[in-house]
């Protein structure tokens, strides 16, 4: 029975995930190069904020929701710590680095300049818990538990990217150094954060049935458009040169961190669909915000692009693992 449920769950997410992303990739090849930016602006300012309000309608809130952003910050710090350790060992002088360590890391000293280290850190820390995380969560945990995915993204990943992520980029970036207040201003102006507050406040306010249905239909349309946008952006990414450091970064972001913190959550008694929602958000591929930050702060854009492409492909392969793991560790509390 569990196997049937898992296959059904995979089909539930793979069909729209691959289908709409493929549509976006094709459109990205056919339409003008400015279309992804225009669609992104629409989703950023209108689509995603309205969909957040819609999906928060009548959602059940719990005191345990604080776990989601706490885990998000723990995941970012753990990913950054592991990436920092690897980058420092890789950049150590040959005289002080053991042969076993060099064989294990296999990252050549010249590949880890300061901009490369910055991109390596960001890709190991920041996940796409919005444009990809939202559709995955809605398909695999349902709207009832979608609040955990929202809290993870809007109180964890978003401030992490434009706060901690920008601080790291400013340290490792090139000569172009935008003012830090610009990052704070961008985070404060993020309409998703404002709609998150509005949605929580008005989630139980009655609405006419036609308006309720229209709001929900619009929200599901935004989910599809988000996947289309991912495909359109992927169609514009052509470089695939930094594969070795990208694979190390993705191993940290999409494997080691979810495994370590997923086991910790299980030991703390987190289970069920709450466990699955948080685990899936931890396992998301690197965020497109890493490319935005890399471009603004003159980091290693080739490494960033490679991790984005490989991460999206890796998600298709890794989803069965996380569904299987959540079906086992998501059971009731572990034995004493």
């Amino acid at each position: 029975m569990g196997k049937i449920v898992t296959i059904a769950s995979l089909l539930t997410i793979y069909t729209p995930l691959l289908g709409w992303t493929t549509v976006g990739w094709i459109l990205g090849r056919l339409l003008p190069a400015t279309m992804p930016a225009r669609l992104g602006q629409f989703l950023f300012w209108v689509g995603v904020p309205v969909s957040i309000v819609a999906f928060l309608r009548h959602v059940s809130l719990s005191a345990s929701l604080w776990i989601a952003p706490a885990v998000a910050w723990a995941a970012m710090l753990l990913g950054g710590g592991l990436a920092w350790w690897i980058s420092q060992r890789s950049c150590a002088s040959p005289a002080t680095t053991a042969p076993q360590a060099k064989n294990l890391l296999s990252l050549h000293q010249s590949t880890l300049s300061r901009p490369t280290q910055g991109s390596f850190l960001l890709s190991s820390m920041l996940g796409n818990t919005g444009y990809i995380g939202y559709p995955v969560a809605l398909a695999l945990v349902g709207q009832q538990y979608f609040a955990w995915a929202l809290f993870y993204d809007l109180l964890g990943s978003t401030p992490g990217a434009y706060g901690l992520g920008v601080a790291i980029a400013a340290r490792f970036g090139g000569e172009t150094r935008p003012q830090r207040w610009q990052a704070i201003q961008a985070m404060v102006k993020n309409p998703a954060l404002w709609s998150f507050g509005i949605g929580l406040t008005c989630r139980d306010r009655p609405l006419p049935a036609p308006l309720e249905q229209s709001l929900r239909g619009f929200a599901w349309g935004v989910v599809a458009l988000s996947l289309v946008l991912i495909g359109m952006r992927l169609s514009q990414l052509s470089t695939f040169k930094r594969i070795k450091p990208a694979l190390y970064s993705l191993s940290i972001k999409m494997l080691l961190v979810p495994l370590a913190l997923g086991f910790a959550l299980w030991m703390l008694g987190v289970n069920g669909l709450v466990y699955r929602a948080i685990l899936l958000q931890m396992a998301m591929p690197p965020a497109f915000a890493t490319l935005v930050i890399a471009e603004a702060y003159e980091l290693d854009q080739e490494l960033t692009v490679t991790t984005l492409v490989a991460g999206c492909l890796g998600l298709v392969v890794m989803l069965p693992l996380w569904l299987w793991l959540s079906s086992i560790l998501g059971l009731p509390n572990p034995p004493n």
Side-chain angles (χ1 to χ4, degrees):
M1 184 66 176
K3 183 177 181 181
I4 295 176
V5 172
T6 300
I7 293 175
S9 300
L10 286 173
L11 290 177
T12 299
I13 185 58
Y14 279 165
T15 300
L17 183 64
L18 297 178
W20 287 114
T21 303
T22 302
V23 169
W25 189 88
I26 295 173
L27 292 177
R29 293 286 183 174
L30 298 177
L31 297 178
T34 57
M35 284 303 298
R38 293 178 180 177
L39 178 57
Q41 288 292 319
F42 168 76
L43 291 175
F44 181 80
W45 292 107
V46 180
V48 171
V50 173
S51 68
I52 288 174
V53 173
F55 286 129
L56 281 175
R57 296 285 299 165
H58 310 298
V59 71
S60 59
L61 300 183
S62 168
S64 62
L65 277 169
W66 65 268
I67 295 175
V71 173
W73 282 98
M76 287 186 288
L77 293 175
L78 178 58
L82 290 173
W84 172 257
W85 179 77
I86 288 179
S87 66
Q88 292 302 107
R89 293 294 295 271
S90 300
C91 291
S93 64
T96 60
T97 305
Q100 295 86 350
K102 289 195 290 183
N103 291 334
L104 174 64
L105 299 175
S106 301
L107 295 177
H108 193 274
Q109 183 176 349
S110 64
T111 66
L112 289 182
S113 61
R114 288 184 64 81
T116 300
Q117 289 184 63
S119 290
F120 187 72
L121 288 170
L122 293 183
S123 297
S124 303
M125 296 170 58
L126 306 177
N128 196 331
T129 53
Y131 289 121
I132 296 181
Y134 289 176
V136 170
L138 285 167
L140 298 180
V141 302
Q143 187 174 341
Q144 182 180 359
Y145 293 89
F146 184 57
W148 273 265
L150 277 176
F151 271 68
Y152 190 106
D153 177 58
L154 295 177
L155 298 183
S157 299
T158 297
Y162 295 103
L164 181 59
V166 166
I168 291 173
R171 177 176 179 179
F172 288 94
E175 296 182 359
T176 301
R177 302 287 179 90
Q179 297 295 320
R180 293 184 179 180
W181 66 267
Q182 292 177 326
I184 298 175
Q185 186 182 46
M187 186 169 60
V188 171
K189 287 184 176 181
N190 188 339
L193 291 175
W194 291 97
S195 67
F196 179 62
I198 295 172
L200 288 177
T201 304
C202 304
R203 71 182 187 281
D204 292 325
R205 297 284 179 86
L207 291 176
L211 180 58
E212 187 87 49
Q213 293 176 359
S214 299
L215 189 63
R216 181 163 300 189
F218 179 85
W220 282 107
V222 168
V223 170
L225 286 177
S226 298
L227 295 174
V228 169
L229 177 61
I230 294 295
M232 294 177 74
R233 286 179 171 173
L234 287 177
S235 71
Q236 296 181 338
L237 304 180
S238 57
T239 183
F240 208 68
K241 298 179 180 179
R242 299 285 200 177
I243 187 62
K244 186 175 290 186
L247 290 179
Y248 281 103
S249 177
L250 294 176
S251 297
I252 294 171
K253 173 68 191 69
M254 300 180 68
L255 183 62
L256 295 180
V257 169
L259 281 176
L261 293 184
F263 182 75
L265 286 174
W266 175 71
M267 293 299 296
L268 292 173
V270 180
N271 55 73
L273 291 178
V274 171
Y275 180 88
R276 175 177 289 186
I278 296 175
L279 183 66
L280 289 174
Q281 287 290 66
M282 281 193 289
M284 286 299 105
F288 274 94
T290 59
L291 182 58
V292 175
I293 297 173
E295 291 173 344
Y297 286 85
E298 298 182 5
L299 299 179
D300 190 334
Q301 295 179 37
E302 287 188 359
L303 173 58
T304 302
V305 168
T306 303
T307 56
L308 290 177
V309 175
C312 290
L313 296 175
L315 177 64
V316 177
V317 178
M318 297 296 292
L319 267 181
L321 169 65
W322 302 123
L323 281 176
W324 173 78
L325 191 64
S326 65
S327 67
I328 296 177
L329 297 187
L331 293 175
N333 297 346
N336 293 327

